[in-house]
Amino acid sequence: MKAFLMEEFKLDKNNIPKHVAIIMDGNGRWAKKKGELRIFGHTNGVGSVREALSAAGEIGVKFLTLYAFSSENWRRPKEETSALMDLLVQSIYNELDDLNSNGVKLATIGDVEVLPKSCQIALKKAIESTKSNKKITLILALSYSSRREISLAVQKMAQKVMNGQLEYTAINEDLISSYLSTANYPDPELLIRTSGENRVSNFLMWQLAYTELYFTKILWPDFKKKNFYKAIYDYQKRERRFGKTSEQLLNNDA
Ligand code: IPE
Ligand code: IPE
Ligand code: MG
């Protein structure tokens, strides 16, 4: 952990979120402002992924989930979705050595099986190659839809109930969480969304129940380490009450 960074951004090392999720938005508008095509924005967004990942690793965040492509994004023009898939493959191969030297374990959530074969191959290779890394887990949400994730979980539970493998009364919050693609990760304490849009866009809706939300107008390709630390600082100033009163928290009441 880099002590000077903690000091510069006045971060409390005892209050670092374990899991940060980011909706990386605004690539298209960033490119348009520069008179370029949308894909130019996506290409430049890769640099911000690197910044966010490295910033998160430096302060001890253990899980970073990035919304890279939603199920709804398939509605975009074919040229854009294909270019995004190509960019994904290229970025995985370009970054693989760095992921390994920085202790990053790669994982995905979403319908990876609907991605082009080349993406699936690159992802499989990178996941296998980084599987023993321990510093931070980078979870890419690809062709991800929270409602679909929840629907699939309900289907699986229903099937077990039908087969007599599960009592319907055993279905509770913990069990539902365990049927989601995020079963192995804690819920995010902080969600960041760039580009000034104040919505969730079908991202981690179950998991975000008590997450602190941080919205910034910065467009994703302009998002740098210092912006990540600012979001953490903002998070640390908040009081997470989980339904209790401030007084209860101060008195450490159970
Ligand atoms: C986010 O940037 C990247 C993806 C959704 C893949 P956008 O492409 O949504 O950029 P804007 O919102 O059009 O500016
Ligand atoms: C959300 O961004 C999905 C990703 C960042 C991958 P969008 O730009 O697609 O979201 P909406 O459609 O504007 O809500
Ligand atoms: Mg957008």
Side-chain angles (χ1 to χ4, degrees):
M1 211 177 299
K2 304 252 166 66
F4 70 89
L5 274 174
M6 292 281 187
E7 258 163 46
E8 190 183 339
F9 290 91
K10 302 190 189 68
L11 299 184
D12 173 0
K13 67 173 183 343
N14 298 315
N15 187 20
I16 298 295
K18 276 198 185 62
H19 186 173
V20 176
I22 307 182
I23 302 177
M24 311 183 286
D25 200 8
N27 295 350
R29 278 163 284 168
W30 186 87
K32 199 172 172 197
K33 272 193 357 195
K34 295 194 150 26
E36 299 280 354
L37 297 174
R38 296 178 55 83
I39 189 65
F40 183 69
H42 298 314
T43 308
N44 279 274
V46 178
S48 300
V49 170
R50 227 177 276 129
E51 295 258 334
L53 179 60
S54 137
E58 275 168 22
I59 61 169
V61 170
K62 299 308 287 179
F63 302 93
L64 179 69
T65 300
L66 300 180
Y67 205 3
F69 195 87
S70 70
S71 299
E72 291 76 18
N73 286 146
W74 290 115
R75 298 172 184 155
R76 293 190 179 192
K78 175 87 173 71
E79 312 86 77
E80 183 171 347
T81 57
S82 304
L84 274 165
M85 294 302 140
D86 291 346
L87 182 62
L88 175 66
V89 174
Q90 190 194 320
S91 306
I92 293 170
Y93 289 123
N94 284 347
E95 303 296 325
L96 190 53
D97 285 349
D98 277 0
L99 293 179
N100 274 318
S101 48
N102 293 316
V104 181
K105 176 174 173 166
L106 186 71
T108 59
I109 54 173
D111 293 323
V112 174
E113 59 287 352
V114 306
L115 300 178
K117 262 267 139 0
S118 59
C119 292
Q120 296 187 42
I121 293 168
L123 284 166
K124 211 173 155 200
K125 194 171 165 202
I127 289 169
E128 174 63 26
S129 154
T130 62
K131 69 176 183 211
S132 309
N133 295 339
K134 296 262 164 355
K135 187 163 184 216
I136 183 168
T137 301
L138 171 65
I139 304 151
L140 295 180
L142 293 165
S143 194
Y144 176 84
S145 149
S146 182
R147 287 185 168 182
R148 179 167 159 74
E149 178 187 41
I150 293 170
S151 308
L152 290 175
V154 172
Q155 279 186 17
K156 280 189 216 144
M157 287 183 288
Q159 192 175 37
K160 288 215 167 162
V161 171
M162 254 173 41
N163 296 344
Q165 295 163 305
L166 178 66
E167 285 287 341
Y168 80 90
T169 48
I171 298 175
N172 59 22
E173 294 181 16
D174 287 341
L175 190 82
I176 294 173
S177 294
S178 76
Y179 275 77
L180 300 178
S181 58
T182 49
N184 295 326
Y185 318 126
D187 289 340
E189 292 96 326
L190 173 65
L191 171 77
I192 299 170
R193 182 169 189 152
T194 57
S195 87
E197 307 298 353
N198 299 336
R199 56 177 174 261
V200 172
S201 301
N202 207 1
F203 189 44
L204 301 177
M205 292 192 300
W206 174 271
Q207 298 87 339
L208 295 178
Y210 257 105
T211 300
E212 295 295 330
L213 308 179
Y214 178 87
F215 297 106
T216 169
K217 289 208 160 57
I218 296 181
L219 302 173
W220 180 249
D222 288 330
F223 192 87
K224 305 288 171 220
K225 272 186 180 187
K226 73 164 195 287
N227 305 107
F228 186 87
Y229 292 130
K230 268 192 199 160
I232 302 287
Y233 177 70
D234 193 274
Y235 162 83
Q236 292 189 333
K237 283 188 306 188
R238 301 184 190 187
E239 185 178 60
R240 305 191 73 205
R241 290 193 281 274
F242 300 101
K244 294 182 180 176
T245 67
S246 278
E247 290 70 24
Q248 283 176 298
L249 295 174
L250 286 170
N251 298 336
N252 236 340
D253 291 1

